[in-house]
Amino acid sequence: FLPYSIATPELVAYTIVAKYSDHLPLYRQSAIWTRMDVYLPRSSLCSWVLKTATLCEPFIEELRKILLKDQYIHADETRIQVLG
């Protein structure tokens, strides 16, 4: 999945879901792994996320082309207040 990496696809997917769906920052994920005696530095987690994003770019571009073929694109632009 990611060349020259110890990461399995499942571990990378877990990291991305935890970051974006569960709102768990990479530094916290690294700390959680450390408590379980698994050393996964934040830099490695970040690298996995960035490499996966790069691998997904062709897919995203195809989705963009499909969306732009339609006359209307609907989106939910409801604003959510974020504590600063």
Side-chain angles (χ1 to χ4, degrees):
F1 179 68
L2 296 177
Y4 309 108
S5 174
I6 64 165
T8 63
E10 295 83 3
L11 180 56
V12 174
Y14 174 83
T15 301
I16 292 170
V17 168
K19 177 173 174 49
Y20 293 106
S21 293
D22 301 334
H23 310 287
L24 192 60
L26 296 177
Y27 76 91
R28 285 190 186 160
Q29 292 186 49
S30 179
I32 291 168
W33 287 111
T34 300
R35 284 196 305 268
M36 294 187 283
D37 292 328
V38 177
Y39 179 66
L40 286 176
R42 180 173 35 168
S43 60
S44 293
L45 300 176
C46 184
S47 176
W48 300 345
V49 172
L50 290 173
K51 287 178 183 176
T52 302
T54 301
L55 287 172
C56 289
E57 283 178 2
F59 174 69
I60 293 167
E61 183 58 30
E62 285 302 313
L63 285 175
R64 185 182 151 284
K65 288 177 185 176
I66 291 169
L67 281 172
L68 293 178
K69 284 181 183 178
D70 287 337
Q71 288 183 323
Y72 299 102
I73 299 174
H74 300 278
D76 180 3
E77 296 182 6
T78 305
R79 294 177 181 226
I80 299 174
Q81 183 176 359
V82 178
L83 298 176

